[in-house]
């Protein structure tokens, strides 16, 4: 069963959201990364997770079918964490398992600190600890940054391209993000991005989150007090948050466990779906049993 929603959050901003699976099953909220809509959680992965959960995915503001507002109503990255809670509120979900990828992992860390009573468990993947990596606003963490080739490619993000050229740009972006260990299926990623374009009704790549205020992300020291069951997924080929980011994150979050998905980069291609879904489902089951 799949149901779509329009959720109104602060300032009249509307977000697109979708529920999939048995509504009576334990809820699981998927929080995507920067400048990425919820449909970039692959259908196959969502279906695997929906075998045990009522899965909710949504479009951040300024992505997909959600309101584009940064130009008229600037916001901080931290405000996107409050949007996640607003989605839960609108769907009548008091507590959920929450999975965050990349910037979504940053947002879930903020929820662990500011709204732990709303989380049954947390899973963090392809991300870095608050105050580290792309969230290292002060530049003092000492951990490695993104691969130089990726930083160079990001300079052309949001360019004025037609649909064919934009699809080529996005497929090459996924090739770089994939990390080069697992086989790269360009046709699969092209189909993923074609769905994302059709979903958004636009070929222009979103860039708003790169321009949002990063204030309030330097809270890594607070993570030691976390008591929500937390799983960190180590993606060893991740070129955005390369090793030892995952190990560092697991070390600083109170009681966190670390699970490695071999070959995984900063992407969700078919070879990682089964091991990732198995790790998440085992983690949420253990949290529910506890």
């Amino acid at each position: 069963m799949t149901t779509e929603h329009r959720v109104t959050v602060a300032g009249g901003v509307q977000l697109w959201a979708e529920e999939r699976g048995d509504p009576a099953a334990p809820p699981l909220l998927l929080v995507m990364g920067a400048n990425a809509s919820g449909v970039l959680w692959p259908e196959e992965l969502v279906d695997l997770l929906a075998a045990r959960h009522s899965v909710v995915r949504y479009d951040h503001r300024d992505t997909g079918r959600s309101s584009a507002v940064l130009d008229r109503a600037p916001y901080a990255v931290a405000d996107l964490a409050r949007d996640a809670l607003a989605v839960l509120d609108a769907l009548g979900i008091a507590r959920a398992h929450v999975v965050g990828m990349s910037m979504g992992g940053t947002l879930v860390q903020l929820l662990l600190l500011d709204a732990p009573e709303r989380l049954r468990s947390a899973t963090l993947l392809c991300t870095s600890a608050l105050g580290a990596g792309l969230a290292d606003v002060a530049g003092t963490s000492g951990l490695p940054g993104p691969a130089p080739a990726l930083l160079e490619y990001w300079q052309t993000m949001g360019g004025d391209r037609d649909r064919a050229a934009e699809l080529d740009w996005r497929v090459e972006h996924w090739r770089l993000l994939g990390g080069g260990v697992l086989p790269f299926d360009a046709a699969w990623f092209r189909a993923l991005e074609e769905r994302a374009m059709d979903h958004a009704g636009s070929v222009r790549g979103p860039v708003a989150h790169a321009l949002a205020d990063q204030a309030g992300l330097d809270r890594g020291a607070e993570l030691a007090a976390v008591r929500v069951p937390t799983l960190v997924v180590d993606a060893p080929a991740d070129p955005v948050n390369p090793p030892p980011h995952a190990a560092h994150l697991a070390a600083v979050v109170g009681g966190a466990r670390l699970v490695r998905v071999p070959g995984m980069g900063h992407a969700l291609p078919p070879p990682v779906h089964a091991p990732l879904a198995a790790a998440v489902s085992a983690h949420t089951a253990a949290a529910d049993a506890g």
Side-chain angles (χ1 to χ4, degrees), residues 70-197:
L70 184 71
D71 289 344
R72 61 179 172 82
Y75 53 85
V77 170
D79 292 325
L80 300 177
R82 289 183 276 275
D83 286 353
L85 293 179
V87 170
L88 295 181
D89 290 342
L91 301 185
I93 299 171
R95 297 177 69 235
H97 300 288
V98 185
V99 179
M101 177 175 179
S102 194
M103 182 194 75
T106 300
L107 303 181
V108 174
Q109 291 175 66
L110 294 175
L111 296 180
L112 284 168
L113 297 180
D114 296 333
E117 72 283 357
R118 303 297 302 275
L119 277 61
R120 295 188 184 203
S121 75
T123 300
L124 310 170
L125 58 138
C126 302
T127 195
S128 57
L130 293 173
L134 293 175
D136 181 11
V137 180
T140 58
S141 73
L143 291 166
L150 199 50
L151 290 172
E152 181 178 356
Y153 200 69
W154 284 345
Q155 298 305 307
T156 59
M157 183 182 297
D160 187 11
R161 292 178 279 266
D162 63 19
R163 183 182 176 98
E166 178 65 17
L167 279 169
D168 288 344
W169 189 96
R170 295 189 191 189
V171 171
E172 175 62 13
H173 189 211
W174 283 120
R175 187 188 69 78
L176 293 171
L177 290 171
V181 175
L182 297 175
F184 182 70
D185 187 342
W188 186 87
F189 278 103
R190 184 174 296 273
L192 177 72
E193 286 294 353
E194 286 176 335
R195 288 196 300 272
M197 283 185 183

Side-chain angles (χ1 to χ4, degrees), residues 6-17 58-73 75 80 83 199-200 206 208-209:
R6 299 291 295 184
V7 173
T8 301
V9 299
V13 174
Q14 284 201 326
L15 306 182
W16 173 88
Y58 69 100
D59 293 342
H60 295 295
R61 57 179 77 185
D62 285 290
T63 72
R65 295 179 183 173
S66 293
S67 300
V69 297
L70 184 71
D71 289 344
R72 61 179 172 82
Y75 53 85
L80 300 177
D83 286 353
H199 172 75
H209 299 158

